[in-house]
Amino acid sequence: MTASPSPRPETSALDKKPASTLHPSSPETPIETSRRLSATTDGPKQLLGVYIKGMAMGAADIVPGVSGGTIALIAGIYERLINALGSIDFSLWRTFRAHGGLKGLLAVWRQVDATFLLCLLLGIGTSIVTLAGIIKGLLDNQPLIIWSFFFGLVVATVLLLLTEIKRWNVARIGLFIAGLGFAVVISSLPILTTTPSLPYLFIAGAIAICAMILPGISGSFILLLLGAYDTVLEAVHTLNLTIIITLMAGMLSGLLLFTHLLKWLLSRYYQGTLALLTGFIAGSLVKVWPWKTDALGTLNSEAVYNVAPWHYPNGAQWLTTVGLMILGAVLVSLLSWWGHQNKK
């Protein structure tokens, strides 16, 4: 999520490129800049920052309707994340054989930016383990509070990302509208009721991770649509390793396949892809609208129908809802500022 690549530092022996790639007529894409700079910016302070951003991603992923990819994009680590995941392919074996032994393992580690991925995953895992019960309790008992906070967060994210898209044209406007429409349709689908088997959970995990990595489309909401959300959340809460491992295997499989496509798109059509992703995020506002009731206009665990604030059974609660929206907007703005500072 960069408007332009950072100024090029002095070239060292570790990041030299062939002359053709350094030619002024072939400027770097943001994803190439991310790869080139990552090896020289990962001090303890930066890795702690990655861990904290991972925690923010994990907290967002727990809420059905908010994507961890949204947090990664606004925090300035989305391109690097896609680049790292997209580097996991059969070329790793060639890299290992070319060096051999411990040197080969270290070369593979560097190629996939594994230190970055490890810190990010630790942060995500910390949030999921520590916050899953809290967020589930808020969703069940105080939904207006959590939806208001994330509504403000998503609105601010959309506004910030719209300023990152340069030279709007018909194609980019069309991509934004397409992303918005797709997210609205996904958010409006009926929820399946099923008792998921392990093979079903594997497939659900593969589909959900593709959504999770897309800003604006919530992986946890996809699990909810597929009727697997409660099973997964309960498994995390009770540490049911059979379900957790099955889901993780499905997620890993889906992730490795999907990120290669995203990596290619970001490398070649960055601004267009950003417009599409921003549309996804804007469309998710339908899902995170704070004032919801059930089909009868009452409040319970099935409250999924958006209503006007003045039709909400307990009243609009403007002071609480607007205050939490502002808090969400302020926090995401600070996160965006932090991401830009790190890139500088």
Side-chain angles (χ1 to χ4, degrees), residues 16 52 207 226 277 330:
K16 285 183 179 179
I52 294 171
I207 297 172
L226 296 174
L277 298 179
V330 168

Side-chain angles (χ1 to χ4, degrees), residues 40-343:
T40 59
T41 59
D42 280 345
K45 182 179 178 181
Q46 286 73 27
L47 292 178
L48 177 61
V50 171
Y51 175 80
I52 294 171
K53 291 172 184 178
M55 290 186 66
M57 288 177 64
D61 278 326
I62 296 170
V63 181
V66 185
S67 170
T70 300
I71 302 299
L73 189 59
I74 202 69
I77 59 173
Y78 190 73
E79 299 96 31
R80 185 175 178 184
L81 173 61
I82 297 301
N83 183 61
L85 294 173
S87 298
I88 302 174
D89 54 26
F90 292 111
S91 68
L92 295 179
W93 175 244
R94 293 195 297 271
T95 299
F96 175 75
R97 291 189 63 184
H99 296 82
L102 182 59
K103 288 185 178 180
L105 291 175
L106 291 174
V108 168
W109 184 273
R110 288 192 296 269
Q111 183 172 327
V112 302
D113 205 359
T115 303
F116 164 78
L117 287 178
L118 180 61
C119 290
L120 194 68
L121 287 173
L122 286 174
I124 292 172
T126 300
S127 272
I128 290 175
V129 171
T130 59
L131 298 179
I134 297 172
I135 291 179
K136 186 176 186 300
L138 287 173
L139 286 170
D140 290 341
N141 302 305
Q142 297 289 339
L144 191 61
I145 290 177
I146 200 159
W147 289 126
S148 296
F149 172 79
F150 279 106
F151 187 84
L153 182 149
V154 173
V155 168
T157 298
V158 172
L159 294 177
L160 287 168
L161 291 180
L162 286 174
T163 65
E164 295 288 335
I165 301 171
K166 311 303 178 185
R167 298 184 302 277
W168 280 95
N169 54 35
V170 174
R172 290 172 187 170
I173 292 172
L175 286 168
F176 175 81
I177 293 173
L180 187 151
F182 182 74
V184 169
V185 169
I186 290 292
S187 299
S188 305
L189 289 175
I191 296 172
L192 297 177
T193 55
T194 181
T195 302
S197 63
L198 290 181
Y200 186 88
L201 284 171
F202 180 90
I203 295 171
I207 297 172
I209 196 64
C210 294
M212 196 174 292
I213 205 70
L214 276 176
I217 300 181
S218 166
S220 52
F221 181 61
I222 296 299
L223 290 175
L224 189 64
L225 287 177
L226 296 174
Y229 181 73
D230 287 339
T231 301
V232 171
L233 209 58
E234 182 65 24
V236 172
H237 193 57
T238 61
L239 293 180
N240 187 326
L241 294 181
T242 301
I243 291 178
I244 293 173
I245 292 172
T246 300
L247 188 78
M248 294 296 290
M251 286 183 165
L252 182 61
S253 301
L255 189 65
L256 296 182
L257 293 173
F258 185 65
T259 49
H260 284 84
L261 173 62
L262 269 179
K263 179 182 177 182
W264 183 84
L265 288 172
L266 287 167
S267 297
R268 289 162 176 79
Y269 308 103
Y270 180 78
Q271 287 287 309
T273 304
L274 184 59
L276 180 67
L277 298 179
T278 305
F280 286 149
I281 298 171
S284 72
L285 288 170
V286 173
K287 177 59 185 172
V288 297
W289 179 255
W291 297 278
K292 302 176 186 294
T293 66
D294 63 9
L296 299 176
T298 57
L299 296 176
N300 57 34
S301 59
E302 304 299 322
V304 295
Y305 295 93
N306 294 338
V307 298
W310 46 89
H311 291 154
Y312 194 68
N314 291 346
Q317 302 181 40
W318 290 113
L319 185 61
T320 300
T321 54
V322 173
L324 287 168
M325 288 177 190
I326 293 173
L327 177 61
V330 168
L331 289 179
V332 84
S333 299
L334 290 174
L335 188 61
S336 176
W337 173 82
W338 186 19
H340 279 291
Q341 291 298 113
N342 287 344
K343 287 188 175 185

Side-chain angles (χ1 to χ4, degrees), residues 8 11-12 15-22 28 32-33 35-36:
R8 183 186 301 275
T11 304
S12 68
D15 70 6
K16 285 183 179 179
K17 290 187 174 185
S20 60
T21 64
L22 295 173
E28 287 180 325
E32 288 171 338
T33 303
R35 171 184 284 179
R36 178 173 56 79

